[in-house]
Amino acid sequence: MAFGLFKKKREEKSEIPSVKAGHLNLTVQKVVNETADAISIYFEQPTAGKINYKSGQFLTLIAEINGKKERRAYSLCTSPFVDSHPAVTVKRVEGGLMSNHLGDKLKAGDQLEVLEPIGNFTTTFDANNERHIILFGGGSGITPLMSLAKSALNQEPKSKISLIYANRDANSIIFKTTLEQMEMENPGRFKVVHVLGQAPSDWKGHKGFLTQEIIKQALETLPHLTPDQTEFFMCGPGPMMDIVEQSLSNLDIPKAQVHKESFTSDAGKKKEKSADDNKIIAREVTVIYDGEEYKYTVEPGETILEKGLDQDIDLPFSCQSGLCTACRGKCVSGKVKMDEDEGLSEAELNEGYVLPCVSHPLTDDVVIEIG
């Protein structure tokens, strides 16, 4: 049932990339098997114009599976400075609709609907920079780190890049050959420290799960620059990143120098701890998107995005867990409660940005502008 919904027909989106998130129809250039359960999907550049993206960002792939359009966000593993074709890496997840669909059926020449690249897990490259970029990766978390490493090596000749990469076993190392080649081509500038949970008997590297002690030992083998010349980027399973964060905190690394990309959300845990059920009641919200205004009522237990989609409003979204920021909007009036805000920077939060996919209205005058 619609609650005072105002809706107008939207114009078709162009294939030309723009600053605003939109839809692209991309042709698959090739599919590369990285490991037994991971593939990289390379796309042809659109004839209307080259896709502009930043290292560390992601694409949202849209595919019809069992009669329903599914969306999943996948990080770009390529560098806009190095690679002619943008690519994402997809690792199969047990029971995962999209990852198994792509792994089983996708081939060169196929077309995929894709949302334009977005994401804040980035950095600005400058040829004058002389810094040490230390990357922590776990499993498929290597994907955006690979993009950052390639770009840093290409754009900052004075900088050094180190990667501490944890995997289940040697066969699980995504980009293994590429990483070895990058080390050979950049002696003294690029170093990889592998950590294997199940290591072969002749393995000379770190063994077991990534621990604070292993992190401490690994950091001692890396090039040393002053603290203000070092930046840290991490991406991988939540428990791994918790260990990395604690280790860096123990070393008194300022939070401003630590950047994190999450593939999974703690929204459920946060909601259980912080939800104020007395304030979350049915309230009308106004959402402004692409110049159109929509009004509808959000019930308790619903998010602003969920109800908008139920009303057949074509709002942008991807992960629906507060991580990817595809749905990001600015709350220009009223107040909302977010179950998860990890995807937003402190500056964005201060400016009033919210994530409708995990937001509930707390006042009767909520107005959110998206795009």
Side-chain angles (χ1 to χ4, degrees):
M1 180 185 294
F3 296 86
L5 172 65
F6 298 96
K7 182 180 179 184
K8 296 181 181 178
K9 186 176 181 180
R10 296 167 53 90
E11 295 181 357
E12 297 261 338
K13 289 214 181 261
S14 160
E15 212 187 37
I16 301 175
S18 62
V19 176
K20 308 280 180 156
H23 294 255
L24 303 169
N25 289 315
L26 299 183
T27 300
V28 177
Q29 190 246 350
K30 63 179 177 180
V31 178
V32 176
N33 293 313
E34 303 289 357
T35 65
D37 59 0
I39 60 172
S40 288
I41 304 167
Y42 288 78
F43 295 103
E44 298 282 3
Q45 293 284 5
T47 55
K50 189 176 180 180
I51 297 175
N52 293 314
Y53 66 93
K54 297 178 181 179
S55 298
Q57 290 191 314
F58 61 87
L59 296 176
T60 298
L61 308 189
I62 305 173
E64 188 168 312
I65 305 173
N66 300 327
K68 180 184 177 183
K69 280 194 172 184
E70 301 287 347
R71 302 185 181 201
R72 298 292 187 275
Y74 296 106
S75 293
L76 286 145
C77 61
T78 47
S79 162
F81 306 106
V82 177
D83 300 292
S84 56
H85 297 279
V88 298
T89 300
V90 178
K91 184 175 181 179
R92 287 181 187 267
V93 177
E94 186 176 353
L97 282 176
M98 182 70 86
S99 63
N100 287 289
H101 172 81
L102 295 173
D104 291 338
K105 299 185 176 181
L106 199 68
K107 61 185 183 304
D110 288 348
Q111 283 208 326
L112 273 177
E113 185 180 356
V114 177
L115 293 185
E116 291 176 7
I118 57 172
N120 299 320
F121 189 61
T122 60
T123 187
T124 301
F125 299 103
D126 190 317
N128 294 316
N129 282 346
E130 187 173 353
R131 56 178 169 165
H132 187 188
I133 298 174
I134 300 179
L135 312 170
F136 290 91
S140 60
I142 183 63
T143 310
L145 303 179
M146 176 63 80
S147 178
L148 291 165
K150 284 184 175 181
S151 294
L153 289 171
N154 180 268
Q155 293 292 297
E156 299 188 359
K158 299 177 184 178
S159 292
K160 300 179 186 298
I161 300 89
S162 300
L163 168 65
I164 299 173
Y165 187 19
N167 279 283
R168 182 178 65 253
D169 53 43
N171 292 328
S172 302
I173 301 174
I174 301 175
F175 309 127
K176 183 174 185 293
T177 301
T178 304
L179 289 170
E180 291 172 352
Q181 183 177 349
M182 289 168 64
E183 278 192 290
M184 287 190 294
E185 293 176 351
N186 299 276
R189 292 192 59 219
F190 184 62
K191 179 181 176 65
V192 181
V193 177
H194 289 287
V195 181
L196 297 183
Q198 301 169 16
S201 57
D202 60 347
W203 179 253
K204 293 183 173 57
H206 297 284
K207 302 177 183 180
F209 292 110
L210 190 66
T211 62
Q212 291 192 42
E213 182 59 30
I214 288 178
I215 291 172
K216 180 182 177 183
Q217 293 174 9
L219 290 176
E220 289 174 351
T221 69
L222 302 181
H224 288 279
L225 292 176
T226 59
D228 63 336
Q229 289 180 292
T230 307
E231 284 190 80
F232 301 83
F233 294 81
M234 69 181 83
C235 184
M240 182 214 84
M241 292 201 293
D242 289 343
I243 291 170
V244 175
E245 280 191 289
Q246 186 59 54
S247 298
L248 297 182
S249 176
N250 292 343
L251 294 171
D252 296 323
I253 304 298
K255 286 188 176 181
Q257 292 168 227
V258 180
H259 314 276
K260 183 171 74 169
E261 179 80 322
S262 297
F263 287 168
T264 57
S265 172
D266 289 332
K269 286 191 293 184
K270 291 187 178 182
K271 184 175 182 180
E272 184 178 334
K273 291 179 181 179
S274 62
D276 188 341
D277 294 330
N278 294 325
K279 292 183 180 180
I280 299 178
I281 61 175
R283 299 179 190 274
E284 186 179 72
V285 302
T286 300
V287 175
I288 302 170
Y289 176 56
D290 264 10
E292 308 296 337
E293 184 176 288
Y294 306 91
K295 292 181 183 291
Y296 53 88
T297 297
V298 180
E299 300 287 339
E302 295 179 319
T303 67
I304 293 171
L305 174 69
E306 285 173 339
K307 192 50 176 277
L309 296 176
D310 285 345
Q311 299 295 332
D312 198 30
I313 306 172
D314 187 22
L315 297 174
F317 74 95
S318 181
C319 72
Q320 290 187 276
S321 58
L323 296 175
C324 75
T325 72
C327 66
R328 190 190 78 154
K330 193 168 189 177
C331 189
V332 296
S333 174
K335 184 179 179 182
V336 304
K337 175 194 167 297
M338 286 189 285
D339 298 324
E340 167 71 70
D341 61 12
E342 189 172 304
L344 296 173
S345 67
E346 187 174 345
E348 288 173 315
L349 291 169
N350 291 337
E351 290 174 26
Y353 284 100
V354 298
L355 301 171
C357 71
V358 289
S359 293
H360 313 270
L362 290 180
T363 61
D364 294 323
D365 57 344
V366 169
V367 178
I368 298 175
E369 293 183 350
I370 299 176

